[in-house]
Amino acid sequence: GKKYGMTATKILSLELDVPNMGYAGFINLKAKNNRTKKEDTYSIYVNHGRSSARTRGGKLSMLERLMRQCDCDLTVVGHVHEAMDVEINQLTLSLDGEVGQKTRHGMICPAWLRLIPGSYGFEHGYEPCSQGCGVIKLGTDHHAIHVE
């Protein structure tokens, strides 16, 4: 662990040959459709998350707070061990004075924490949580984001 200078994120970033963002970071990700040759670029803010919230409302507030901090297409966060997603719509004003609308997406990732006797979560009284992996689909038409 951290005591020896190696963390799961450091190992994963080395294996994938990508920069280690640590606790939080920004990503510009290009989606490309090889069939239509269309492409689109998405701005993404990723944060480990920090909250002692126990209710869905409290967890959602943490996600929305992080979404307001950054003007990104997608905000992805973890820590609270419950899969959730949200959309926030905002009005925009173009340089030529046209009013439009922008949708920003947020996702709380599920966890890999299993509650079994003797586990960290079990011993700390955590509730059973959403398990597995969240899915993000980025389209190349109309700046489309779908979060599951």
Side-chain angles (χ1 to χ4, degrees):
K2 290 181 182 181
K3 181 177 177 181
Y4 302 103
M6 192 57 76
T7 63
T9 56
K10 192 179 281 188
I11 293 168
L12 188 59
S13 65
L14 288 170
E15 289 294 320
L16 295 174
D17 194 28
V18 296
N20 179 9
M21 293 188 301
Y23 196 83
F26 292 94
I27 302 168
N28 277 321
L29 190 66
K30 185 183 288 187
K32 186 175 182 179
N33 185 322
N34 290 329
R35 187 176 43 80
T36 65
K37 305 299 182 207
K38 290 183 179 181
E39 56 184 53
D40 204 349
T41 302
Y42 295 88
S43 58
I44 303 170
Y45 175 61
V46 180
N47 189 302
H48 175 82
R50 176 171 294 195
S51 175
S52 59
R54 296 291 211 168
T55 65
R56 290 181 62 80
K59 294 172 184 184
L60 194 55
S61 291
M62 181 263 305
L63 172 60
E64 290 178 344
R65 179 180 51 78
L66 289 172
M67 290 174 73
R68 286 189 300 273
Q69 287 179 355
C70 307
D71 184 21
C72 289
D73 299 312
L74 174 64
T75 298
V76 181
V77 66
H79 188 75
V80 293
H81 303 165
E82 184 157 1
M84 278 192 246
D85 59 270
V86 66
E87 293 181 358
I88 294 177
N89 296 301
Q90 297 174 310
L91 294 176
T92 60
L93 180 63
S94 70
L95 294 176
D96 60 0
E98 205 170 309
V99 176
Q101 181 174 311
K102 176 181 181 177
T103 302
R104 295 171 56 211
H105 300 264
M107 174 185 186
I108 299 177
C109 296
W112 299 100
L113 185 68
R114 288 188 50 216
L115 291 183
I116 56 175
S119 70
Y120 175 86
F122 186 84
E123 290 179 359
H124 287 83
Y126 290 173
E127 294 178 21
C129 59
S130 306
Q131 291 186 340
C133 184
V135 176
I136 301 165
K137 296 178 182 178
L138 303 175
T140 54
D141 291 322
H142 313 295
H143 210 66
I145 299 174
H146 180 73
V147 177
E148 300 175 2

